Amino acid sequence: MGTKTAAILLTACLLLSACSANKPESAATGNNQTSAASDTSNGSQTVPKDHNSAGKTTAQHDKSVVDNSKSENSATVAAINKTYHLDKAYNVVPNQEGVEKKVILLTFDDGPKEAAMINKIIDTLDKHKAKAIFFVNGYRVKEHPELLKLIHDRGQPIGNHSWDHIVLKNKSEAEVKKQIETVQKMVKDITGQAPVFFRPPHGAGGDVGRKVAKENGLLYMTWSVGSLDWTMNKSQPNKTDALLKNVTEQLHPGSNILMHELPWTAEALDSLLTRLEQKGYRFVDPQSIEVPAD
């Protein structure tokens, strides 16, 4: 019995020694691999101090791949974000089925005028998570370039409303080019971005206005719903109610609403946007509208 027991014990020892010698490397390093995979999935790697330079280079490469991927994704989002266009009546229309139809485009003409009024309007837009196109006149920008920068810095799109507030349709092509292109250059010089939207004063650009706008990569538009705020005056009572009535009576999906930088419009804006939201409308981001440059 003693000899048999000794033989069994010797065999067991030899087997145990053999198993230890053949243990897989992956089993010994599995925890480290899991940690590295987790770091990579978070967009960066934590490189221990005792890693060699090759390891650091690999980690930096992995991070740049993630960053480049994010940039490509952002570019893709920007490229597919043009979900609307304007029809011949200047209404906002979805490009395809399944895109929300009950939307409104907000616009303000004839600025920039006063910082307090601009801030009040944009404060209200921010409250309702809305964007609006601010169509500016060149002569006003020349007087107060800081107001143009205010609109831009607060994240609102700027449109071209020509240099003067004149009827363009009867002007020569040279005059119309000067009226439009001078504003294009001025806005770009001040904000770094040239406008992509053009609205002729009085809604009267004519064929020449359309031609020059297109040559400058501008989307030509007038409006499909007028607030009639420009017909009001300081002494008129109940201007907010009148503005609400003017807009809601014409309201329809895709409405392109014309307003102005006027004190009573700034005062009525919160009530107007609240009423529109209650009716189930949402405010379209002008950047989602196709323009000729697209």
Side-chain angles (χ1 to χ4, degrees):
M1 291 294 290
T3 302
K4 290 183 179 179
T5 300
I8 292 171
L9 289 173
L10 178 60
T11 302
C13 289
L14 290 172
L15 289 173
L16 181 60
S17 177
C19 289
S20 297
N22 294 322
K23 187 176 183 180
E25 182 180 350
S26 61
T29 59
N31 290 338
N32 289 338
Q33 289 178 338
T34 302
S35 178
S38 177
D39 288 342
T40 304
S41 68
N42 289 331
S44 63
Q45 288 184 333
T46 303
V47 183
K49 292 182 180 179
D50 61 350
H51 271 213
N52 57 30
S53 59
K56 291 180 181 178
T57 302
T58 302
Q60 290 169 352
H61 172 71
D62 290 344
K63 187 175 188 298
S64 70
V65 169
V66 172
D67 290 343
N68 289 338
S69 176
K70 289 180 180 178
S71 298
E72 290 171 2
N73 288 340
S74 297
T76 302
V77 169
I80 65 174
N81 197 36
K82 304 298 182 180
T83 48
Y84 295 93
H85 66 275
L86 295 187
D87 65 14
K88 292 182 179 180
Y90 307 113
N91 292 303
V92 181
V93 180
N95 287 341
Q96 60 188 25
E97 291 295 327
V99 176
E100 177 62 57
K101 295 180 180 180
K102 204 170 182 181
V103 296
I104 288 168
L105 175 62
L106 303 171
T107 68
F108 294 89
D109 282 15
D110 298 354
K113 292 182 178 179
E114 300 173 8
M117 185 160 53
I118 291 169
N119 278 320
K120 185 176 179 64
I121 290 172
I122 298 179
D123 284 346
T124 302
L125 293 172
D126 287 348
K127 175 182 176 181
H128 292 268
K129 297 180 174 59
K131 298 289 185 183
I133 305 172
F134 284 74
F135 285 100
V136 300
N137 292 120
Y139 79 93
R140 291 190 183 276
V141 174
K142 182 180 179 181
E143 293 172 356
H144 294 287
E146 75 281 0
L147 297 182
L148 182 78
K149 194 169 187 304
L150 170 63
I151 297 170
H152 174 75
D153 288 348
R154 294 206 58 182
Q156 297 296 329
I158 294 169
N160 188 327
H161 201 37
S162 81
W163 184 267
D164 298 302
H165 203 275
I166 60 175
V167 174
L168 297 176
K169 66 178 182 179
N170 297 323
K171 302 296 181 182
S172 68
E173 183 171 342
E175 175 63 17
V176 174
K177 283 177 70 69
K178 182 179 179 181
Q179 285 280 327
I180 294 175
E181 292 178 359
T182 305
V183 176
Q184 286 295 97
K185 183 179 185 305
M186 177 178 283
V187 173
K188 185 173 183 179
D189 287 346
I190 294 171
T191 69
Q193 296 178 349
V196 294
F197 303 105
F198 172 70
R199 173 176 283 161
H202 311 286
D207 291 340
V208 65
R210 295 174 187 276
K211 178 177 182 292
V212 174
K214 186 175 181 179
E215 288 172 351
N216 284 273
L218 288 158
L219 177 63
Y220 180 104
M221 73 170 77
T222 59
W223 58 90
S224 62
V225 172
S227 66
L228 301 181
D229 57 354
W230 65 94
T231 66
M232 304 174 188
N233 56 64
K234 292 181 181 179
S235 61
Q236 179 177 333
N238 304 318
K239 289 187 286 293
T240 294
D241 291 339
L243 192 149
L244 290 173
K245 185 173 183 292
N246 291 338
V247 171
T248 54
E249 284 185 347
Q250 306 172 69
L251 197 62
H252 58 271
S255 293
N256 177 352
I257 302 177
L258 168 62
M259 295 176 283
H260 292 77
E261 285 186 28
L262 292 167
W264 43 88
T265 303
E267 189 65 34
L269 188 60
D270 187 33
S271 296
L272 174 62
L273 300 191
T274 299
R275 180 73 62 85
L276 299 179
E277 288 171 327
Q278 290 171 345
K279 290 180 174 293
Y281 287 89
R282 72 176 187 83
F283 310 113
V284 69
D285 187 337
Q287 294 183 1
S288 69
I289 299 173
E290 290 180 344
V291 297
D294 295 329

